[in-house]
Amino acid sequence: MTVIRVLSYNVHKGFCSANRQFLLDQIRESIRSVDAELVFLQEVVGENSQHAAELEDWVDESQFEYLADTVWPHFAYGKNAVYDHGHHGNAILSKYPIISSENVDISLYRRSQRGLLLSVIEPGIYVICVHMGLLGWERHQQFNLLTKLINEKVPKDAPLIIAGDFNDWSGALHLRFKHSLKLREASLQANGKLAKTFPAKRPILRLDRIYFRGFQALSAKRLSGEPWRSLSDHCGLYAELKLHLPV
């Protein structure tokens, strides 16, 4: 592996932005068309008995298994938001074997349940799927928890990819990724600016990102227009990352 194709996508639990249509089949076809080897998903449903009873086209298996299907044989799920009728969270789909995985709870108050899904994929690449909170103080404390996780679990010389929905509309958190963690961002390196990804119908906020170290971003693009603008409330974000091989 020298180049890895990465997709990050908040799937909005399989519903369109207005929550009126269940579009998981269309989402599955769309993410397949990208041909990414590594997929970071946010707001993916593990179980929802209420929707299962109400919707004829609801899938019986978990959404991350349904989306992975035969394309991504390896996957991990982190249960973040838990309620009486089910749960949802982050997921990582991979064409490469996942060596280990763990989910870290970074929820800071009851109505905002968040997590960091850390996995290690062959050949020793560390990947973290992130969905941070809506409030500024919340995100900054969650960044501190992310930093703690990296310091404790990720070797200093290991390749690292952190992708997801950062909800960092102000850009303040981005500066901490750049200066404190010394990470680069794919759209910024490839295109000179962070990608606008929300709302999908007319993107104005730069919420979704792909950060990394040990790689070079060969390309990055926001997945907008049809069908993406009619699926989730977020655009997908795609990047091709070239692994820096040891000399």
Side-chain angles (χ1 to χ4, degrees):
M1 177 204 304
T2 56
V3 176
I4 184 167
R5 300 184 300 275
V6 178
L7 170 66
S8 180
Y9 195 29
N10 183 324
V11 298
H12 200 229
K13 305 169 195 168
F15 289 88
C16 71
S17 58
N19 289 315
R20 293 172 182 166
Q21 290 179 285
F22 183 62
L23 301 171
L24 197 64
D25 279 340
Q26 294 91 320
I27 289 173
R28 182 166 73 166
E29 292 307 310
S30 296
I31 67 171
R32 281 181 173 184
S33 71
V34 176
D35 195 30
E37 296 157 305
L38 189 60
V39 181
F40 296 76
L41 299 175
Q42 305 87 50
E43 290 192 28
V44 60
V45 175
E47 179 184 356
N48 191 308
S49 58
Q50 182 175 309
H51 287 324
E54 295 173 349
L55 299 175
E56 290 184 4
D57 53 350
W58 188 259
V59 298
D60 292 331
E61 58 194 318
S62 63
Q63 287 186 354
F64 58 90
E65 290 177 294
Y66 182 76
L67 294 172
D69 195 32
T70 58
V71 178
W72 295 276
H74 312 283
F75 48 81
Y77 172 64
K79 185 191 301 184
N80 296 336
V82 181
Y83 26 86
D84 291 341
H85 52 279
H87 49 83
H88 69 265
N90 298 330
I92 295 171
L93 315 181
S94 176
K95 292 187 178 181
Y96 302 102
I98 294 178
I99 301 168
S100 63
S101 189
E102 67 175 291
N103 193 51
V104 179
D105 184 5
I106 56 168
S107 305
L108 298 176
Y109 65 101
R110 188 174 180 180
R111 296 183 65 181
S112 180
Q113 297 169 295
R114 309 286 175 168
L116 305 171
L117 179 59
L118 167 66
S119 296
V120 185
I121 64 169
E122 290 186 357
I125 296 173
Y126 286 72
V127 296
I128 304 176
C129 188
V130 173
H131 190 189
M132 290 189 169
L134 296 173
L135 304 177
W137 66 265
E138 179 187 12
R139 290 191 298 274
H140 282 285
Q141 288 192 41
Q142 288 167 344
F143 177 89
N144 294 337
L145 295 172
L146 172 62
T147 300
K148 182 174 183 287
L149 175 67
I150 293 170
N151 290 338
E152 292 178 353
K153 301 288 186 176
V154 182
K156 293 186 182 300
D157 58 347
L160 172 65
I161 303 171
I162 304 174
D165 177 2
F166 294 85
N167 275 315
D168 180 32
W169 57 269
S170 70
L173 203 64
H174 169 69
L175 296 177
R176 298 190 69 186
F177 276 93
K178 179 180 178 181
H179 297 299
S180 298
L181 290 180
K182 309 297 183 185
L183 300 181
R184 296 183 175 182
E185 200 283 326
S187 295
L188 186 60
Q189 186 178 76
N191 305 320
K193 56 186 177 182
L194 298 173
K196 296 178 181 179
T197 58
F198 182 90
K201 291 189 181 296
R202 185 172 292 183
I204 56 173
L205 298 179
R206 300 171 171 90
L207 303 187
D208 302 87
R209 299 170 194 167
I210 299 172
Y211 290 100
F212 58 86
R213 75 179 186 208
F215 294 89
Q216 178 186 355
L218 300 180
S219 67
K221 64 179 179 180
R222 177 187 70 195
L223 303 176
S224 55
E226 294 297 348
W228 300 98
R229 71 186 305 272
S230 300
L231 298 178
S232 171
D233 55 346
H234 285 249
C235 298
L237 192 61
Y238 171 81
E240 293 182 349
L241 304 179
K242 182 178 180 180
L243 180 65
H244 289 164
L245 298 175
V247 178

